[in-house]
Amino acid sequence: MNRSRTGARRALIVALSTITVAALAVGGYTAACALAPLPAPTIELSPAFTPGDDSAAVSADPAAAQAAVDAQSLPTAIGYLHGDEVWANDPTAHPLASISKLITVLVCMEAQPLEPGSDGPVYTWTEADRERQDAYLALDGVAYPIPVGTEITLRQMLHFIFLPSANDYAAAYAYWTFGDDDAFLAAVADWKQRHGLESLQFVEPTGMDEANMASAPDVLRIARLALQNPAVAEFTRTAAVEMPWGVGVIENTNPLLTEMPGIVGVKTGRSGAAGFNFAVARQVDVDGREIVQLSVTLGRESKEARAQSGRDMLAAHDTLPQSTAIVEAGTMVGEAVTVDGTRIPLVTAGGAAVTLLPGERATRAAAVDVAALGEAGARVGAVTVEGPAPVEDVAVVASAAVAEPELWWRLTHPVELFGW
């Protein structure tokens, strides 16, 4: 009997001990669950705001630029100084006339660079130069005779070449630089290849020969190269200058240079086969960004038509910039996902637009700081925009607060809580 009571007492003690241990274990587990720090939420960004995703980019439709040149019946091209795009309606080569002089100067300046504003080296006028002058004048070409033995600086020579488009000085420059026609044309061929000007055909430095030819899009590329050379660009935008030797004031043949604000060159051309050619550039402000518009019109029937073609294409340029909403207010850029699966939308607090030229592209990307998550409406990051024009960052806010999961969830999700 005593032995039975002793056994029962021992069993009770064991049971109570087990219950106590179990209770302590449960209490410890409960406390651990209640006090365990929660893993940080994860961020899931929308593809439209993920760097590198195609849907995160916005591009300006080039269709309007192509339509502007397609509306012209004669060879036309437009583009911008900074960029590679060219829109044109005719890929075939046409006589260049005096636009040839842009090529001559660019090729010569590669061999003999000139610092902007510098007089450059001095050349002595030769008998061969005088004979060429006589020949150009006999063909009704532009020339400004000076006595044999006259010393002329390269700067003075370039004024004659670019302003009144003098043939004699263009030829003298080419042969002074390269020695003879063969060496000059070899340099042109090399230059053509390096710049990808497939339509260019060149036989002499002035444009008096109608075999000097190129397409309107290649002429635009040549004008772009001219304006990217600071020394050349200086001469293309000079309206007039007074020359010595009894010549007096010479004026630029660009009809818009003193007519329209912002004109920065570049060159005219005229011949029987070419008609009236015009490459013109204008600097304008587009939403605080300075851009240079380029226009090339070939084969116009008169000086007046040439000037009007330049006006028309620059006016067409003015209609091309496109203001595009790249971020709209209230757009969900992604979600914060808490450890218990709650999804908190992250939205933009404002909007932003970017002005793009045809063919330009801007991208957007969201960045979120997980540590900033907390109250509803708190700023947790920003959308940044990268493109040709500056755009202010747009704030990203959490649309709801991060809430603590209930104790029961903590107790029943040890894997999520502790990583077990």
Side-chain angles (χ1 to χ4, degrees), residues 342-361:
T342 301
R343 306 183 78 87
I344 302 172
L346 308 174
V347 300
T348 53
V354 60
T355 299
L356 300 175
L357 304 178
E360 287 187 331
R361 172 184 172 98

Side-chain angles (χ1 to χ4, degrees), residues 74-75 94-99 207 209-210 212 269-278 297-301:
L74 294 171
H94 297 271
L96 289 172
S98 283
I99 286 179
D209 193 314
E210 305 287 11
N212 281 4
R270 172 188 62 84
S271 73
F276 291 80
N277 295 340
F278 195 16
T297 51
L298 305 179
R300 270 47 181 184
E301 64 272 18

Side-chain angles (χ1 to χ4, degrees), residues 94-374:
H94 297 271
L96 289 172
S98 283
I99 286 179
S100 299
K101 295 179 177 70
L102 283 178
I103 298 157
T104 295
V105 172
L106 286 167
V107 172
C108 288
M109 277 202 181
E110 278 198 355
Q112 183 177 281
L114 178 71
E115 290 296 320
S118 169
D119 285 337
V122 175
Y123 177 73
T124 302
W125 206 247
T126 69
E127 180 63 31
D129 295 323
R130 187 196 64 76
E131 290 174 0
R132 279 193 296 268
Q133 282 180 323
D134 293 341
Y136 292 137
L137 289 170
L139 294 171
D140 195 29
V142 178
Y144 287 82
I146 57 176
V148 172
T150 299
E151 292 186 341
I152 179 171
T153 66
L154 178 54
R155 184 176 188 82
Q156 291 169 326
M157 192 175 286
L158 290 167
H159 276 137
F160 276 122
I161 292 170
F162 279 108
L163 275 65
S165 201
N167 299 295
D168 42 357
Y169 297 95
Y173 185 25
Y175 304 140
W176 173 25
T177 304
F178 291 100
D180 58 33
D181 201 52
D182 289 342
F184 167 67
L185 293 177
V188 172
D190 175 68
W191 181 84
K192 163 189 170 176
Q193 183 178 17
R194 284 186 285 111
H195 291 290
L197 303 168
E198 295 182 1
S199 73
L200 179 61
Q201 306 167 39
F202 218 70
V203 299
E204 55 83 37
T206 70
M208 288 290 288
D209 193 314
E210 305 287 11
N212 281 4
M213 303 179 75
S215 66
D218 273 351
V219 172
L220 189 139
R221 295 181 181 102
I222 292 163
R224 186 180 279 153
L225 290 169
L227 292 181
Q228 288 170 348
N229 183 312
V232 175
E234 176 190 353
F235 292 99
T236 70
R237 65 174 176 262
T238 300
V241 67
E242 186 166 359
M243 303 300 292
W245 313 299
V247 173
V249 175
I250 55 174
E251 297 181 345
N252 200 310
T253 57
N254 185 335
L256 304 187
L257 194 58
T258 56
E259 174 190 315
M260 298 180 68
I263 298 294
V264 292
V266 273
K267 192 74 184 70
T268 63
R270 172 188 62 84
S271 73
F276 291 80
N277 295 340
F278 195 16
V280 64
R282 179 176 61 161
Q283 182 173 293
V284 297
D285 180 278
V286 175
D287 285 351
R289 177 165 56 125
E290 288 189 348
I291 64 168
V292 176
Q293 306 163 335
L294 297 176
S295 164
V296 169
T297 51
L298 305 179
R300 270 47 181 184
E301 64 272 18
S302 65
K303 283 186 177 181
E304 293 74 18
R306 174 172 66 188
Q308 190 58 47
S309 71
R311 296 186 195 101
D312 290 344
M313 298 320 298
L314 293 176
H317 257 297
D318 290 339
T319 67
L320 298 180
Q322 302 171 24
S323 180
T324 304
I326 192 166
V327 183
E328 294 186 352
T331 299
M332 189 170 79
V333 303
E335 293 178 302
V337 184
T338 63
V339 67
D340 64 349
T342 301
R343 306 183 78 87
I344 302 172
L346 308 174
V347 300
T348 53
V354 60
T355 299
L356 300 175
L357 304 178
E360 287 187 331
R361 172 184 172 98
T363 59
R364 62 195 168 208
V368 176
D369 180 7
V370 173
L373 288 165

